Amino acid sequence: MQASQSDQTVAQAYLQLLASRGIEYLFGNAGTDFPPLIEAYAKAQESGIAVPQPILAPHENIAIGMAYGFAMVTGRMQAVMVHVGVGTANSICGLFNASRQAIPIFMTAGRTPWTEKGIEGGRNNYINWAQEMFDQAGMLRESVKWDFELKHPSQLETVVDRAMAIARSEPPGPIYLVLPREVLSATMTEQVSKVTTLAPSVAAHPPPDVISQIGELLKSAKRPVLITSDAGRDHKAWDALTRFAEKHAIAVVQYRPRFASISTSHPMHAGYDPAPYLRESDLVLITECDVPWIPDQVEPRADAKVVQWGSDPLFENYPLRGFRSNITLTASTVATLEALIALPASALISQRLDWVGQLRQPALVKPHSDQGMTSAWVSYCIGQACDEKTVILNEYSLALEQLQFTKPGNYFSHSPAGGLGWATGAALGVRLARPDATVIACVGDGTYMFGNPTPFHFVSRAQSLPVLTVIFNNRRWGAVHRATLSMYPQGQAAQMKEPPFSTLEPSPDYEKIVEACGGYGEKVEDASQLPAALKRALHAIRVKGLPAVLNVITEINYKRTS
Ligand SMILES: Cc1ncc(C[n+]2csc(CCOP(=O)(O)OP(=O)(O)O)c2C)c(N)n1
């Protein structure tokens, strides 16, 4: 940075800096810390200077969700600004989700002014005392890669570029920058560079000797299987994984996938359950998968070799994770796949194909409306309603086996951290990033309530981001109920129809919430009517541009299907 004579505030320079570094949107939930930014936006509007587009989100969870969804489908990080410690507190669940799913977010918050009198931007409101915290970032430090409080205008460019480089470096994740009002309203005395001077760090290529070691294992393996949850986070992985599976005849299990990694119609797509493969496999390859099996239920054969690789194969931020590994490699998933593709194919290819053929599940019997509003039927109907441009966000309820995903980028699921309330904001972010997409968020009734429905539909309407939400409404927290049954199958609670902390009765008319926000809502109770209801709801979002909700009253099913 060079010294310059300027009548700009730091807030003005900051917004321009964000735009020049590729930040297209600033999702905000404002408070008394925002005036320097609001003034800067007003000046930018007058002068026509490029700044990120401001988007008001009336709950922090929706703001984070939008930045999340946008980055998830594009890889392009966006910014969020919330109100001091209180807004930060409301953001933590979303940030924790993002950190566990490697989603970059430029997360910022104001800070209670630190001066009591006589300084521009200093305290002028009773709230400025009680809101101050000793360590505002402390509450989310575990969920971000880096945090800092901007101390002086001269630091602006260095701090912003450092924050962005860290957030974008492999594996990506959120950072947190605190912006005090005194600094934002100060005069900017430096000139900032037009482009960043700090490149993010990229994932390394695998060393040839480690590739040779994996190659030796690959040559002699009769029953190799690859397990992944997140390989598809890098869209290039779809193609590389497909070619790898074909070249070496490797069964690919997508276990609890958060990103689609291989086409469901590919012969090497081995479904979503690793257990049958693990029981027989002699070589288990794991990439971008935090939990490849549940040790309490299944483990690889004692003589099986295990290889784990990816941008952080040991998941170093997880306190406890003990999945064994003969070779552990920190390297780009795609570069590693490419290096393995270059190896000669084994003589055992036909044996492998026979094995995969034996384990292949028979084709599913198509569900039917006569069986009632089962999760399988609702999932099947949604699958039938999808086209090439449909993007599905799944937060809990979808039976994946009923859908086909044949290209990258049209299926996403929630973070392994499982902080509910993700799909609503993320769906808006996806729609913002892909204006031609049909976005469908699949949620349970509990999840819908966690997702701040009114702020969600408000933003959907205000920003013209129509998305369809399908609520699988079983009038309960089924997951909680199932957890109790699995621990105490013969227990007292198992005898109860409505155990404590499990049921959501009386069930609200959720479809009326979207109606109150000017959208289209329908309750669907008759299974045979679901396809027609889906058509009407899709018409509402595609043709009328309205947010839509289908409140689908489902059977109560305790068995998880995916
Ligand atoms: C923020 C947060 N609070 C609580 C939980 C615990 N939890 C996990 S699943 C679940 C119930 C979800 O209910 P619903 O969306 O109706 O789906 P269902 O389990 O009935 O299929 C709850 C409360 C969580 N994961 N995240």
Side-chain angles (χ1 to χ4, degrees):
M1 280 200 304
Q2 297 165 357
S4 79
Q5 293 300 316
S6 154
D7 56 359
Q8 273 200 330
T9 61
V10 171
Q12 286 175 277
Y14 168 68
L15 292 178
Q16 290 166 33
L17 195 59
L18 292 188
S20 72
R21 278 24 176 194
I23 301 288
E24 296 145 80
Y25 296 98
L26 175 59
F27 304 101
N29 191 287
T32 47
D33 40 2
F34 271 58
L37 287 172
I38 293 171
E39 184 63 14
Y41 264 116
K43 286 192 170 147
Q45 210 170 22
E46 205 195 1
S47 63
I49 286 175
V51 291
Q53 189 179 324
I55 296 200
L56 183 155
H59 194 286
E60 294 81 357
N61 187 48
I62 296 295
I64 306 271
M66 291 185 76
Y68 199 125
F70 195 100
M72 193 174 67
V73 292
T74 62
R76 303 202 300 273
M77 178 169 71
Q78 303 304 317
V80 176
M81 169 97 174
V82 299
H83 176 52
V84 301
V86 290
T88 301
N90 273 359
S91 310
I92 293 177
C93 184
L95 286 173
F96 187 45
N97 281 340
S99 75
R100 291 292 198 234
Q101 202 170 357
I103 302 292
I105 295 178
F106 193 86
M107 177 69 197
T108 66
R111 185 206 188 282
T112 295
W114 61 54
T115 53
E116 288 191 305
K117 206 174 160 191
I119 305 275
E120 173 89 33
R123 296 183 183 187
N124 61 356
N125 186 316
Y126 84 97
I127 205 155
N128 297 145
W129 276 263
Q131 279 192 333
E132 187 169 33
M133 301 180 77
F134 286 105
D135 182 10
Q136 187 172 305
M139 63 177 129
L140 52 58
R141 195 157 283 134
E142 271 206 53
S143 301
V144 296
K145 293 177 79 179
W146 168 96
D147 71 87
F148 191 73
E149 182 175 309
L150 189 66
K151 309 274 190 322
H152 192 269
S154 62
Q155 295 176 315
L156 181 71
E157 182 179 355
T158 303
V159 166
V160 167
D161 280 343
R162 176 163 172 72
M164 288 193 180
I166 291 173
R168 288 172 171 148
S169 292
E170 276 293 320
I175 58 82
Y176 181 62
L177 177 61
V178 176
L179 301 166
R181 207 165 71 167
E182 286 93 337
V183 185
L184 283 180
S185 55
T187 301
M188 187 66 193
T189 49
E190 322 276 329
Q191 229 173 22
V192 297
S193 326
K194 289 203 164 57
V195 290
T196 183
T197 52
L198 186 58
S201 111
V202 292
H205 276 237
D209 59 322
V210 181
I211 289 299
S212 304
Q213 288 170 34
I214 303 174
E216 284 306 308
L217 297 177
L218 259 184
K219 199 157 83 182
S220 56
K222 295 193 180 89
R223 297 171 170 188
V225 61
L226 182 143
I227 306 173
T228 188
S229 303
D230 287 353
R233 176 165 62 80
D234 179 347
H235 288 188
K236 292 195 284 298
W238 176 283
D239 176 55
L241 186 55
T242 306
R243 286 185 288 111
F244 171 71
E246 286 168 2
K247 169 89 184 262
H248 296 294
I250 311 281
V252 176
V253 176
Q254 300 183 79
Y255 189 35
R256 305 231 164 210
R258 272 82 72 166
F259 299 86
S261 299
I262 191 167
S263 170
T264 49
S265 61
H266 194 280
M268 300 316 288
H269 162 68
Y272 303 104
D273 180 7
Y277 294 87
L278 280 172
R279 281 188 203 107
E280 298 183 11
S281 175
D282 53 358
L283 176 61
V284 182
L285 305 169
I286 299 165
T287 186
E288 301 297 347
C289 184
D290 56 345
V291 180
W293 59 82
I294 309 288
D296 196 38
Q297 295 164 8
V298 66
E299 298 214 60
R301 277 175 16 183
D303 62 342
K305 297 282 186 272
V306 178
V307 178
Q308 302 198 42
W309 85 88
S311 52
D312 174 22
L314 293 178
F315 293 82
E316 292 175 15
N317 291 329
Y318 285 32
L320 179 67
R321 180 183 184 274
F323 302 102
R324 71 183 176 85
S325 192
N326 298 86
I327 299 175
T328 308
L329 168 64
T330 301
S332 145
T333 295
V334 173
T336 305
L337 286 169
E338 294 293 356
L340 296 174
I341 291 166
L343 298 175
S346 160
L348 300 168
I349 292 285
S350 62
Q351 275 192 45
R352 294 177 187 173
L353 291 174
D354 287 349
W355 177 61
V356 176
Q358 283 161 26
L359 284 188
R360 184 162 295 123
Q361 297 290 315
L364 282 179
V365 183
K366 207 177 96 177
H368 195 276
S369 60
D370 288 352
Q371 293 149 346
M373 198 75 89
T374 60
S375 161
W377 170 247
V378 183
S379 304
Y380 172 78
C381 292
I382 291 171
Q384 293 298 301
C386 288
D387 63 14
E388 280 271 286
K389 290 184 174 168
T390 305
V391 180
I392 298 279
L393 283 93
N394 177 21
E395 193 171 16
Y396 263 108
S397 299
L398 212 55
L400 279 187
E401 299 80 353
Q402 301 297 340
L403 291 99
Q404 297 293 323
F405 300 104
T406 53
K407 65 184 186 60
N410 58 5
Y411 175 79
F412 299 92
S413 188
H414 59 91
S415 161
L420 292 180
W422 157 86
T424 46
L428 296 175
V430 171
R431 183 60 176 70
L432 187 64
R434 292 205 194 146
D436 61 339
T438 298
V439 180
I440 305 181
C442 301
V443 295
D445 48 326
T447 302
Y448 179 67
M449 285 197 272
F450 276 105
N452 316 97
T454 306
F456 164 48
H457 298 312
F458 166 82
V459 176
S460 183
R461 191 78 204 284
Q463 300 294 333
S464 301
L465 299 171
V467 299
L468 167 61
T469 308
V470 179
I471 305 174
F472 289 59
N473 184 357
N474 58 2
R475 285 88 62 214
R476 65 192 53 225
W477 286 341
V480 177
H481 197 166
R482 284 190 297 272
T484 311
L485 292 176
S486 74
M487 276 189 80
Y488 302 104
Q490 311 303 332
Q492 214 50 41
Q495 317 304 320
M496 297 173 74
K497 263 189 146 175
E498 298 196 348
F501 297 115
S502 303
T503 54
L504 299 172
E505 306 261 18
S507 183
D509 294 327
Y510 297 113
E511 68 283 2
K512 292 192 177 154
I513 302 175
V514 74
E515 278 173 18
C517 301
Y520 179 84
E522 237 188 277
K523 182 182 280 184
V524 194
E525 294 177 87
D526 178 345
S528 67
Q529 296 306 307
L530 182 58
L534 275 164
K535 263 196 192 139
R536 288 189 291 274
L538 288 171
H539 182 80
I541 62 166
R542 285 178 181 148
V543 180
K544 296 188 180 161
L546 296 175
V549 168
L550 290 184
N551 177 13
V552 180
I553 308 301
T554 64
E555 306 279 313
I556 296 171
N557 176 12
Y558 304 117
K559 204 170 141 272
R560 257 201 97 125
T561 44
S562 63

